[in-house]
Short mmCIF file of all heavy atoms in Angstrom, two decimals:
data_model
loop_
_atom_site.label_atom_id
_atom_site.label_comp_id
_atom_site.label_asym_id
_atom_site.label_seq_id
_atom_site.Cartn_x
_atom_site.Cartn_y
_atom_site.Cartn_z
N HIS D 2 87.70 66.30 100.52
CA HIS D 2 87.79 66.90 99.17
C HIS D 2 88.54 65.94 98.25
O HIS D 2 89.43 65.22 98.68
CB HIS D 2 88.54 68.22 99.24
CG HIS D 2 87.88 69.22 100.13
ND1 HIS D 2 86.69 69.84 99.80
CD2 HIS D 2 88.22 69.68 101.37
CE1 HIS D 2 86.34 70.65 100.79
NE2 HIS D 2 87.23 70.57 101.75
N ALA D 12 100.74 77.48 87.86
CA ALA D 12 100.68 76.03 88.09
C ALA D 12 99.39 75.66 88.81
O ALA D 12 98.63 74.78 88.37
CB ALA D 12 101.89 75.57 88.90
N LEU D 35 102.76 82.70 105.44
CA LEU D 35 102.98 81.33 105.90
C LEU D 35 103.39 81.33 107.37
O LEU D 35 103.84 82.37 107.88
CB LEU D 35 104.09 80.68 105.06
CG LEU D 35 103.77 80.59 103.56
CD1 LEU D 35 105.03 80.32 102.77
CD2 LEU D 35 102.74 79.50 103.31
N GLY D 44 98.40 84.39 93.59
CA GLY D 44 98.69 84.70 92.19
C GLY D 44 100.15 84.45 91.83
O GLY D 44 100.50 84.37 90.66
N GLU D 67 96.89 90.42 85.09
CA GLU D 67 95.74 90.13 84.22
C GLU D 67 95.73 88.65 83.82
O GLU D 67 94.68 88.01 83.80
CB GLU D 67 95.77 91.02 82.96
CG GLU D 67 94.47 90.85 82.16
CD GLU D 67 94.46 91.57 80.83
OE1 GLU D 67 95.34 92.42 80.59
OE2 GLU D 67 93.57 91.24 80.03
N SER D 81 85.75 75.67 90.46
CA SER D 81 86.79 75.55 91.49
C SER D 81 86.53 76.59 92.59
O SER D 81 86.08 77.70 92.33
CB SER D 81 88.18 75.66 90.86
OG SER D 81 88.78 76.85 91.10
N ALA D 86 93.66 81.59 101.92
CA ALA D 86 94.28 80.89 103.06
C ALA D 86 95.55 80.17 102.61
O ALA D 86 95.78 79.98 101.41
CB ALA D 86 93.29 79.86 103.63
N GLY D 157 122.37 89.49 87.87
CA GLY D 157 122.82 89.36 86.48
C GLY D 157 121.94 88.43 85.67
O GLY D 157 122.30 88.04 84.57
N MET D 162 117.66 92.10 84.53
CA MET D 162 117.57 92.84 83.26
C MET D 162 116.17 93.46 83.11
O MET D 162 116.01 94.61 82.76
CB MET D 162 117.81 91.91 82.05
CG MET D 162 119.12 91.15 82.08
SD MET D 162 120.57 92.20 82.19
CE MET D 162 121.30 91.61 83.71
N LEU D 168 112.58 99.90 85.17
CA LEU D 168 112.80 101.07 86.04
C LEU D 168 113.20 102.32 85.26
O LEU D 168 113.05 103.44 85.76
CB LEU D 168 113.84 100.74 87.10
CG LEU D 168 113.34 99.81 88.21
CD1 LEU D 168 114.50 99.30 89.05
CD2 LEU D 168 112.31 100.52 89.10
N GLU D 207 129.78 93.81 94.30
CA GLU D 207 128.69 93.37 95.17
C GLU D 207 128.30 94.52 96.09
O GLU D 207 129.17 95.31 96.47
CB GLU D 207 129.13 92.19 96.04
CG GLU D 207 129.14 90.88 95.28
CD GLU D 207 129.65 89.72 96.14
OE1 GLU D 207 130.56 89.93 96.97
OE2 GLU D 207 129.14 88.62 95.97
N VAL D 211 124.01 98.99 102.26
CA VAL D 211 123.06 99.99 101.78
C VAL D 211 123.23 101.20 102.68
O VAL D 211 123.18 101.09 103.91
CB VAL D 211 121.61 99.46 101.85
CG1 VAL D 211 120.63 100.53 101.42
CG2 VAL D 211 121.47 98.20 101.00
N PHE D 240 117.13 97.89 94.07
CA PHE D 240 116.24 96.78 93.72
C PHE D 240 117.05 95.49 93.65
O PHE D 240 118.02 95.39 92.89
CB PHE D 240 115.54 97.06 92.39
CG PHE D 240 114.46 98.10 92.52
CD1 PHE D 240 114.78 99.45 92.56
CD2 PHE D 240 113.14 97.72 92.67
CE1 PHE D 240 113.80 100.42 92.75
CE2 PHE D 240 112.15 98.67 92.85
CZ PHE D 240 112.47 100.03 92.89
N HIS D 255 107.93 65.79 105.64
CA HIS D 255 106.75 65.10 105.10
C HIS D 255 106.97 64.63 103.67
O HIS D 255 106.34 63.70 103.20
CB HIS D 255 105.54 66.03 105.13
CG HIS D 255 105.23 66.56 106.50
ND1 HIS D 255 104.56 65.83 107.44
CD2 HIS D 255 105.56 67.73 107.10
CE1 HIS D 255 104.44 66.54 108.56
NE2 HIS D 255 105.06 67.69 108.38
N VAL D 277 99.99 62.87 96.53
CA VAL D 277 100.52 64.24 96.60
C VAL D 277 101.34 64.51 95.33
O VAL D 277 102.32 63.81 95.05
CB VAL D 277 101.41 64.45 97.84
CG1 VAL D 277 101.98 65.87 97.85
CG2 VAL D 277 100.60 64.20 99.11
#
Side-chain angles (χ1 to χ4, degrees):
H2 300 289
L35 299 164
E67 187 186 347
S81 105
M162 305 302 121
L168 287 168
E207 282 177 324
V211 177
F240 285 80
H255 303 279
V277 178

